Amino acid sequence: MVYLFNSGYRLGYQVNLLNTLFYPSGWINEYRYTYSDTEHYFDGTQLDTYLKLKNEKAVIIAVDRFYVAGYSYHPVREGILKGCYQDGNRLLFMVELGNYIYPKDNNNFTNELINNFPFRPKLTNGNPESTNDGFYAFAGKDIIGDSGKFIYGVEAWEKVTDQLASTHTYVAKQGDETVFARIEMDVSPAIQNSGTADQPIYKSYYKLVKGTTYTIDFSFKYPGQKGNATVETILKGKDSLRFDSNDRIELTTRSDYRIIKFTPKRYTDEKTENLGFVFSRITTSLPFNFNSPRINMDLKLEDGSYFWLQVVLTTLLWVICTLLVGLDYSKLKQQNLQQIIFAITYWKIAAAFLNAAILIWIFRLWGGKKPY
């Protein structure tokens, strides 16, 4: 099993842990660890071994550096390590996120960590801000195996966010607050390789059909909420997404959920999109900062199953109507059907198709679309 720790010591790590709690099951998230002369977040002598790891069980664990009894550990989420790749002196772990997880007895889990992994992150020289405090990424014995010792799913998310909300990094205090959130969609994420065959770099996206309505279950927890809406979530997309309701969600309670429905426009030319969740202060005069997920999810838009069939049928219908308009109906009684068909010459058929193409071109111009 691969163990990936995050202490939220810097802002980027704080956001990544909040993103880990936000993303839906099946989404790929990256975890980056440095090895240098001054920082050793993984065993550099095992680099080649890490680069060969694929499809291994993984668990993401939050670390509270400032716990009164030394470091405390909070499992957050299970996953599958899809692979690793190197970027300079950093090693990046690509994890397909799975279920939320939290121990029924966190003291027992902590003792398991201590007994099995002495090289784990731990309080060093009595200084919780020391950056040389152990390995934050390593492979080792599976101590998660007995599922009876853990809770999972939404219950685990509720538990771990309650625990994190009381830690030094995420506690709501004067001038500093945190928003936790999570989503699930009614379609599963897809995975693509944006790297090479020798060095895959896996990314997630949603494959959506134009004109189809999708549902997002959005849940949040805002421990610092004091009865007035000071924070909102703004749903961001390009012009090709249409939200069925307001694209701004005010966080007016300490915890709640919303149902969000949106539809990719049926006749957009866009093939890619982004769906962003931006957490923003409403009252900018209030003197506080807040931690929140920073989310921008890739979408790929596809035409519906019958889109091109509709294009062909409507074009043929237009051509037939155009040809019928050109007939001299006064002569129909004097001709049989075969004579009428032979009277429609090839150039008339070509002109009718050209007429249909010009009409489509005009509609695209009227719609502000590029004619190519």
Side-chain angles (χ1 to χ4, degrees), residues 207-255:
K207 184 187 296 184
L208 306 181
V209 177
K210 298 174 184 178
T212 300
T213 298
Y214 295 92
T215 300
I216 299 174
D217 292 330
F218 172 79
S219 300
F220 69 87
K221 185 175 291 185
Y222 180 13
Q225 223 289 336
K226 298 179 177 62
N228 56 336
T230 54
V231 173
E232 65 180 354
T233 302
I234 305 172
L235 304 177
K236 293 283 190 179
K238 300 176 187 175
D239 291 339
S240 55
L241 294 185
R242 183 181 69 250
F243 296 97
D244 288 6
S245 57
N246 195 342
D247 60 358
R248 294 172 180 264
I249 302 172
E250 293 186 357
L251 309 188
T252 57
T253 59
R254 293 196 174 188
S255 64

Side-chain angles (χ1 to χ4, degrees), residues 246-349:
N246 195 342
D247 60 358
R248 294 172 180 264
I249 302 172
E250 293 186 357
L251 309 188
T252 57
T253 59
R254 293 196 174 188
S255 64
D256 205 348
Y257 75 95
R258 300 285 189 275
I259 301 297
I260 303 168
K261 293 188 176 184
F262 73 98
T263 307
K265 293 180 181 178
R266 186 181 301 275
Y267 300 112
T268 179
D269 287 339
E270 299 291 344
K271 297 183 182 298
T272 60
E273 249 288 6
N274 299 104
L275 177 61
F277 290 76
V278 179
F279 294 81
S280 175
R281 286 191 298 164
I282 298 175
T283 309
T284 56
S285 60
L286 292 177
F288 75 88
N289 299 314
F290 68 94
N291 297 316
S292 67
R294 298 182 184 179
I295 303 297
N296 192 35
M297 308 175 77
D298 290 335
L299 311 178
K300 289 190 177 182
L301 307 182
E302 297 183 343
D303 293 311
S305 303
Y306 300 105
F307 175 79
W308 290 109
L309 177 61
Q310 293 178 53
V311 171
V312 171
L313 291 178
T314 52
T315 301
L316 287 175
L317 182 61
W318 178 263
V319 169
I320 292 171
C321 291
T322 302
L323 293 174
L324 291 176
V325 169
L327 288 177
D328 186 351
Y329 291 94
S330 64
K331 298 180 180 180
L332 287 179
K333 295 181 180 179
Q334 304 172 15
Q335 296 176 322
N336 58 33
L337 179 61
Q338 184 177 6
Q339 291 173 321
I340 293 173
I341 293 174
F342 280 117
I344 302 175
T345 58
Y346 290 115
W347 72 266
K348 288 184 178 180
I349 295 175

Side-chain angles (χ1 to χ4, degrees), residues 61-67 70-74 106 110 167:
I61 301 173
V63 179
D64 181 9
R65 290 169 169 263
F66 295 87
Y67 186 60
Y71 282 16
S72 66
Y73 308 94
H74 303 277
N106 201 39
T110 297
T167 63

Side-chain angles (χ1 to χ4, degrees), residues 107-179:
N107 289 329
N108 285 343
F109 174 78
T110 297
N111 289 333
E112 287 264 17
L113 275 179
I114 293 172
N115 293 334
N116 285 281
F117 308 117
F119 43 80
R120 74 196 181 282
K122 56 185 178 294
L123 185 64
T124 304
N125 298 324
N127 180 13
E129 296 189 4
S130 171
T131 56
N132 284 317
D133 54 344
F135 294 148
Y136 277 72
F138 56 82
K141 173 185 174 182
D142 182 359
I143 64 172
I144 306 292
D146 184 358
S147 60
K149 296 180 180 180
F150 296 85
I151 56 177
Y152 295 89
V154 175
E155 183 183 3
W157 186 87
E158 293 286 350
K159 182 68 174 179
V160 72
T161 50
D162 283 343
Q163 294 298 315
L164 292 178
S166 64
T167 63
H168 178 272
T169 301
Y170 300 106
V171 68
K173 51 185 178 289
Q174 183 65 34
D176 199 3
E177 297 180 355
T178 299
V179 174

